[in-house]
Amino acid sequence: MRITGISTYVVGTPWRNLTYVQVHTDEGITGVGETRMLGRTDALTGYLEEAETNHIVGSDPFATEDLVRRMKYGDYGRAGEIVMSGIAVVEMACWDIKGKALGVPVWQLLGGRVTDRIKAYANGWYTTERTPEAYYKAARQVIDRGYQALKIDPFGTGHYELDHAQTRYSVSLIEAVRDAIGPDAELMLEMHGRFSPSTAVRLAHELAPFRPAWLEEPVPPENLKALEKVAAKVDLPIATGERIHDRIEFRELFESQAVDVIQPDVGHIGGIWETRKLAATAETHYMLIAPHNVGGSVLTAASLQVGFSTPNFKILEHFNDFADAEIKSVVKGAPQVVDGYFHRSDAPGLGVELDIDAAAGFPQQQARFDLWAEGWEQRRPKGSAR
């Protein structure tokens, strides 16, 4: 079997463009992959156009290790977010092809199942007025849908510091959310790399009474010493990793023991097998994995293949019941959350198919997601039409 070409489709919303790639073969089997780029979608599709000629066409879709190696190193330049995301969409499509050709789900090819269900946590649910009353109502709706975990960044446009009044207001939002979801649901606290170490530590102590399940990206991701400083001074689990785009770059993070949960994005770190390798290394350091997942249903399905076959897989993020829920219509067989969990599918490959006609109803937009803009949490940027 050989790859004959790829087709690329961009599904647009005001705050995220989702890039889907179909990989075609000479035996008529087609696989699909997906990633979400922020402000670099055209760069990604441009890279894929070149990579199709340079690396992809003529390759054996079963030889994913070789294809990934050639795409990563065959152009000599150091691979970053764009290249690793391009590799990811092609790589997961190849796994989809392999599963379909063999008549088995991808998780079976990754070592077989270790669980029949993966817990989901909701994100994108607080696209509302930033008040305790509105957040209480929105959080209550998440629980009413069966979710048992959710994540929130309550810090407005905070950057490095957060003054006393802003801190009190952020605490009031978290208090409202905890009241809404009750004592048993998991509450993930997102910081989006906003703060200095001292501010992150102070906020962690202020919010500890509400029992966050983890403190996510408390400081910008470039400085590991700053993260170590936070980890040494708080008792909460630390999570990070969504903005690391190469498995090798996790090495120092593992050695530091500064995190408890790693959060690679399957769509940015080179795909399914790269993520599975990373999870195995995390297991040797007694760390859990909870992939970043702000994409659509294909990326969710790919992340779940890893989850069903990975012993140290904790939980999976899910936006698509709350922010742009209508985009689920572009994927047939989209994974669904039932009573707070994704349940194992035995469908071959990734178990999903891209509906090209439906995708045409969501043309690419000039998607924006600016964490430093007032009202960013509503994910309704101005001037997003393309």
Side-chain angles (χ1 to χ4, degrees):
M1 185 187 295
R2 295 291 164 176
I3 296 172
T4 58
I6 66 173
S7 301
T8 303
Y9 307 90
V10 177
V11 170
T13 80
W15 70 280
R16 58 176 176 169
N17 282 318
L18 307 179
T19 301
Y20 294 89
V21 169
Q22 289 183 324
V23 173
H24 308 284
T25 68
D26 57 5
E27 294 188 15
I29 302 176
T30 298
V32 65
E34 181 202 350
T35 192
R36 185 285 320 243
M37 295 295 292
L38 278 177
R40 301 177 180 92
T41 298
D42 290 342
L44 173 63
T45 57
Y47 164 70
L48 286 168
E49 184 177 349
E50 292 192 64
E52 180 179 17
T53 300
N54 295 339
H55 304 298
I56 301 168
V57 170
S59 295
D60 178 357
F62 273 72
T64 49
E65 191 79 46
D66 178 64
L67 178 56
V68 168
R69 178 183 60 82
R70 287 187 285 110
M71 291 180 73
K72 185 175 181 181
Y73 298 111
D75 298 319
Y76 187 68
R78 183 174 179 178
E81 180 183 14
I82 293 168
V83 171
M84 295 306 294
S85 300
I87 291 171
V89 290
V90 174
E91 191 263 8
M92 68 179 75
C94 287
W95 280 103
D96 192 27
I97 289 167
K98 287 193 274 190
K100 289 174 179 175
L102 298 172
V104 296
V106 170
W107 57 258
Q108 192 71 273
L109 303 176
L110 300 177
R113 68 176 177 86
V114 296
T115 185
D116 291 325
R117 63 180 191 170
I118 297 293
K119 193 174 186 179
Y121 73 86
N123 204 343
W125 55 272
Y126 52 104
T127 54
T128 185
E129 186 181 2
R130 188 171 173 264
T131 65
E133 296 78 15
Y135 277 25
Y136 179 96
K137 182 178 178 181
R140 188 65 249 169
Q141 290 172 346
V142 174
I143 298 301
D144 290 344
R145 290 190 67 149
Y147 280 86
Q148 301 169 35
L150 74 174
K151 186 166 76 179
I152 181 174
D153 176 343
F155 302 110
T157 58
H159 184 54
Y160 284 171
E161 294 185 307
L162 202 70
D163 66 26
H164 182 65
Q166 291 172 317
T167 297
R168 284 175 56 85
Y169 197 77
S170 297
V171 170
S172 75
L173 295 175
I174 295 299
E175 182 178 23
V177 171
R178 176 52 80 187
D179 286 347
I181 67 177
D184 297 327
E186 286 191 278
L187 174 58
M188 287 73 175
L189 191 61
E190 168 73 90
M191 288 188 166
H192 279 126
R194 292 184 178 283
F195 298 119
S196 68
S198 60
T199 301
V201 169
R202 176 175 61 80
L203 291 171
H205 291 157
E206 293 265 9
L207 293 165
F210 305 106
R211 295 183 297 105
W214 69 50
L215 191 68
E216 181 169 336
E217 217 178 36
V219 294
E222 296 87 359
N223 186 338
L224 186 58
K225 291 294 185 182
L227 185 65
E228 292 177 23
K229 187 175 180 180
V230 175
K233 294 182 178 181
V234 302
D235 294 329
L236 300 173
I238 302 293
T240 197
E242 70 180 70
R243 289 191 274 181
I244 301 177
H245 304 128
D246 191 326
R247 175 170 48 89
I248 295 169
E249 294 176 6
F250 274 87
R251 179 178 56 82
E252 291 184 29
L253 191 64
F254 287 138
E255 291 174 353
S256 75
Q257 291 287 306
V259 298
D260 304 279
V261 182
I262 61 166
Q263 299 174 293
D265 189 311
V266 178
H268 289 319
I269 202 161
I272 289 171
W273 190 234
E274 289 292 286
T275 306
R276 186 62 187 87
K277 290 177 182 178
L278 184 62
T281 307
E283 189 177 8
T284 69
H285 291 81
Y286 313 124
M287 296 177 185
L288 299 174
I289 179 171
H292 177 251
N293 179 40
V294 70
S297 296
V298 172
L299 187 56
T300 298
S303 300
L304 288 171
Q305 304 303 318
V306 177
F308 290 127
S309 57
T310 300
N312 56 325
F313 197 100
K314 174 178 171 60
I315 197 167
L316 185 64
E317 184 172 22
H318 195 228
F319 273 81
N320 300 320
D321 280 341
F322 301 97
D324 335 306
E326 65 275 9
I327 65 159
K328 288 192 293 184
S329 66
V330 309
V331 174
K332 298 175 181 177
Q336 304 293 331
V337 176
V338 179
D339 295 329
Y341 287 85
F342 292 105
H343 295 267
R344 180 173 55 84
S345 169
D346 294 321
L350 297 179
V352 293
E353 295 289 346
L354 179 65
D355 186 331
I356 297 172
D357 292 335
F362 299 87
Q364 182 175 350
Q365 299 192 39
Q366 193 65 43
R368 291 294 312 281
F369 183 61
D370 183 358
L371 276 164
W372 317 115
E374 289 287 347
W376 67 264
E377 63 279 350
Q378 297 185 23
R379 291 175 169 83
R380 301 184 191 119
K382 296 179 180 179
S384 56
R386 186 185 175 103

